[in-house]
Amino acid sequence: MLAMTFPAAQELLRLPSVLPWLRQRLELRIDVQVRPDALHADLGDMQRRLNTPGDALYGLPEIGSPGPGLVFRYREADGEHYIYVEDVARRQLAGCTVFNRLIEVGRRADPHLRAPHSKYAPAYQRQGLATAVYEWGLGAGICLLSGARQSPEAHRLWQALSRRHELQHVHVENKTLRHLGSQHATAGSGDLHTRMLLLGAGWTMQQLMQATGMRPQQV
């Protein structure tokens, strides 16, 4: 497993000299695990930036609250959406979620699909914060595509969200999307090309297929 933060991996993938096997490995497992000390350092750095005048993260607007003493702060950059969950009472960052663009999909699908990646401090995990952020994204009309692999916790989160948002499955390969239907089994599957898809508010599957050029399910 590659010990690399998501932004660093993105920058590496943009380099034309990256070996094909390394590019494929990064594409298949971009949501790498973060060591607790690295997570603490990352969140601490973001918290300092949020409170440093002149920094790109300073003065971000509040767009809601997932609970008492907590606020969502929002930033958009290069088509990606960043939600920072700040504990204003304790003056610390609980965590953040980034709705990333996907290098696996083509240009036609790029404007419509995002992959959420989250990091939250241990003290704030299992409190529904990631769920609240995902709900914000889906409510804003963002369609979410899962990563190549999911932890059991992430899989449970997506299943819980599917009770309120339409869940479909798609096959992603060679920058081409193919619809697999709503009942395709993904739990424990070794097929890294099979992804879960949650439809954002205002979308139907037919509309999304037309917008992205997604191929229909094979009979």
Side-chain angles (χ1 to χ4, degrees):
M1 186 173 293
L2 298 178
M4 183 180 297
T5 63
F6 187 80
Q10 277 190 314
E11 290 301 321
L12 184 56
L13 282 166
R14 293 191 181 103
L15 296 177
S17 59
V18 174
L19 294 174
W21 66 266
L22 179 56
R23 179 179 294 275
Q24 182 184 37
R25 188 176 178 187
L26 285 168
E27 290 179 352
L28 294 179
R29 191 63 172 103
I30 202 72
D31 55 333
V32 295
Q33 297 295 324
V34 181
R35 301 189 313 272
D37 56 337
L39 174 61
H40 178 77
D42 285 347
L43 294 178
D45 180 63
M46 282 187 280
Q47 175 67 19
R48 286 189 293 273
R49 294 185 62 192
L50 286 167
N51 293 277
T52 301
D55 192 278
L57 301 189
Y58 181 73
L60 294 181
E62 297 181 16
I63 61 168
S65 170
L70 299 173
V71 298
F72 288 160
R73 298 194 182 279
Y74 173 77
R75 175 178 179 242
E76 188 275 334
D78 192 27
E80 299 187 321
H81 308 278
Y82 297 75
I83 305 296
Y84 303 89
V85 183
E86 187 176 18
D87 188 333
V88 293
R90 298 180 180 178
R91 297 184 178 181
Q92 62 187 26
L93 194 64
C96 71
T97 295
V98 184
F99 296 97
N100 290 115
R101 297 171 66 182
L102 291 128
I103 60 175
E104 304 99 316
V105 304
R107 292 182 179 179
R108 185 172 172 181
D110 174 70
H112 308 294
L113 300 173
R114 293 293 179 265
H117 295 86
S118 300
K119 56 174 68 175
Y120 287 85
Y124 296 93
Q125 294 175 9
R126 302 181 184 276
Q127 295 187 22
L129 297 182
T131 299
V133 175
Y134 283 33
E135 289 280 12
W136 171 88
L138 291 164
I142 302 173
C143 295
L144 304 182
L145 195 67
S146 68
R149 295 188 179 97
Q150 281 189 317
S151 67
E153 293 79 10
H155 188 77
R156 285 194 292 268
L157 170 59
W158 282 67
Q159 291 295 331
L161 289 168
S162 72
R163 292 194 284 269
R164 298 179 293 279
H165 304 274
E166 183 177 349
L167 176 68
Q168 297 286 335
H169 300 84
V170 299
H171 182 270
V172 183
E173 190 173 9
N174 297 324
K175 297 190 180 296
T176 300
L177 299 167
R178 179 167 54 85
H179 186 212
L180 297 176
S182 60
Q183 302 299 321
H184 191 87
T186 58
S189 173
D191 182 5
L192 299 176
H193 301 294
T194 299
R195 310 294 181 88
M196 302 173 76
L197 170 68
L198 286 168
L199 296 187
W203 284 98
T204 66
M205 194 61 207
Q206 188 62 36
Q207 289 172 334
L208 186 64
M209 290 179 66
Q210 183 176 2
T212 60
M214 186 184 302
R215 295 177 180 176
Q217 183 177 9
Q218 295 179 347
V219 180

